[in-house]
Amino acid sequence: MTAVRAGNPLHTITESDIDFIAIGAAVLGTGGGGDPHVGALQAKRAIREFGEVEVISVEALPDGGFIAPVGMIGAPSVAIEKIQAEGELAAAIDLLEASTGQSVTAIMPTEIGGGNSLVPISAAAERGLPIVDGDSMGRAFPEAPMVTFHLAGYAPGRGILVDSHGNSAVIQPKDGMWAERLARVISFEMGGNATMIDYAYPGKVVKECAIPGTLSTARRIGEILLGNDIRDEDRVATLLNELSGFHLFSGKITAVERAIQGGFTRGQATLDGLDKDRDSTFELQFQNEMLLGTRNGQLAAVTPDLITVLDQVTGQPITTEMLRYGARVVVVGFPSHEYWRTEMGLATAGPGYFNYDVDYTPVEKLVAVQERVKL
């Protein structure tokens, strides 16, 4: 999540909340986390069939509870066509319980990004379990160790992977890096994506590590971008104001290069400036999520800070697999949660990890430099 929480705390999730959460999670997902539309359809169906979902705050988790972070692993471009099978989520939770001998007491999003924020809502509805208002990234990231549990020194524990064909695997990686290596290969063999559970821990550990309030914040973002109480022309400005975000660029996409490599959707997009940004260019680099943005060749924002692409007219977030030539967009940036600005956070998900030849500079400092240049 950004450094700022927004909105009132959720207590239950009903079918009417899903579209708001989906849009908000797509903003926080920085282009990744999977297609929110498919995830929203699945979550609505689950709530219609099994009932609304209780939401429990991170602070209220019982120390002895057993919390299961649930999500998908794989390339977002694959997930558009290869959706979860009925019973896939239940099979993953059953396998976790059977392999650990513990009963799950609450479901938690692994990340607050796109479809991966909605998959755990479906799981919670199907099992009649509460969902935690928090996650272990505060945004979306492409790799398994990029979670706050890893930053705090916790190992992944028992890892569960289940696919739509009925295949399953249980792994016991020694650390987050090995979890990524093993799970990526298995998910590739499973067709490019799979349901995954790891870092299942007691409530006491989750309270130490989770970034709280992210589902509630996602819902508030959805209200801003979809609600009837804000004019269309004011939506992006309201979003940036409430989440302490920054306008980075307005432009038209003139080129997109995108490919599935090593189980990820990788690529870049080039924008020509519009309005106040006319005569300037902007380039985005992504690996499932937007990771780096440059304006006229100068760094504008970089991971772990959040970079999000919005439709210029509607304010709707655009995921990496939906970037299209000719689209008129606004690129915005948000400061990341403080966990990711630590030495360990930058070593795990900073620009050096992704082989970008730039030093991390907080987005607010980069924007201040750009503003001084314009004066």
Side-chain angles (χ1 to χ4, degrees), residues 34-56:
D35 183 9
H37 176 66
V38 174
L41 293 176
Q42 292 175 308
K44 288 179 182 178
R45 182 202 61 79
I47 291 173
R48 279 198 299 272
E49 185 170 353
F50 300 102
E52 63 188 32
V53 176
E54 177 190 356
V55 180
I56 183 170

Side-chain angles (χ1 to χ4, degrees), residues 166-355:
N167 299 301
S168 61
V170 179
I171 59 175
Q172 186 75 46
K174 70 173 187 177
D175 57 29
M177 299 302 178
W178 272 102
E180 170 62 26
R181 292 178 65 175
L182 297 175
R184 191 65 55 183
V185 170
I186 293 170
S187 65
F188 184 80
E189 292 298 326
M190 285 178 163
N193 72 344
T195 295
M196 183 172 178
I197 302 174
D198 61 354
Y199 292 97
Y201 272 106
K204 183 177 181 180
V205 173
V206 175
K207 285 193 282 190
E208 173 191 345
C209 298
I211 297 176
T214 51
L215 277 174
S216 295
T217 298
R219 194 193 187 287
R220 174 55 188 157
I221 294 171
E223 288 177 342
I224 293 171
L225 297 181
L226 291 177
N228 296 322
D229 57 340
I230 299 175
R231 297 183 303 175
D232 286 346
E233 57 269 33
D234 294 333
R235 295 187 191 278
V236 174
T238 303
L239 175 68
L240 297 181
N241 182 54
E242 290 203 19
L243 273 75
S244 299
F246 302 94
H247 173 276
L248 300 180
F249 197 75
S250 293
K252 183 175 76 172
I253 297 175
T254 56
V256 179
E257 297 178 18
R258 181 173 42 223
I260 298 175
Q261 299 173 343
F264 300 102
T265 301
R266 300 178 194 265
Q268 62 184 26
T270 303
L271 287 69
D272 281 353
L274 298 170
D275 306 326
K276 293 182 180 179
D277 294 312
R278 189 177 299 278
D279 300 326
S280 293
T281 61
F282 200 91
E283 186 170 279
L284 289 160
Q285 303 278 341
F286 55 85
Q287 177 184 320
N288 287 7
E289 285 77 32
M290 309 290 179
L291 297 176
L292 183 144
T294 56
R295 177 192 176 100
N296 296 331
Q298 300 298 311
L299 184 64
V302 67
T303 179
D305 288 336
L306 288 70
I307 304 169
T308 298
V309 179
L310 306 172
D311 183 275
Q312 189 181 44
V313 176
T314 66
Q316 300 287 302
I318 301 173
T319 56
T320 51
E321 67 270 21
M322 299 303 290
L323 294 170
R324 295 287 185 270
Y325 173 84
R328 293 171 179 258
V329 302
V330 178
V331 183
V332 298
F334 303 97
S336 60
H337 192 279
E338 61 185 11
Y339 285 171
W340 294 108
R341 294 184 168 195
T342 62
E343 182 178 350
M344 182 63 171
L346 293 174
T348 303
Y353 180 86
F354 294 99
N355 295 319

Side-chain angles (χ1 to χ4, degrees), residues 145-156:
M146 296 173 179
V147 292
T148 48
F149 295 104
H150 176 75
L151 303 187
Y154 290 97

Side-chain angles (χ1 to χ4, degrees), residues 18-39:
I18 294 300
D19 286 337
F20 293 125
I21 293 173
I23 292 298
V27 171
L28 297 174
T30 68
D35 183 9
H37 176 66
V38 174

Side-chain angles (χ1 to χ4, degrees), residues 63-77:
D63 286 350
F66 186 46
I67 317 303
V70 176
M72 300 287 291
I73 181 173
S77 300

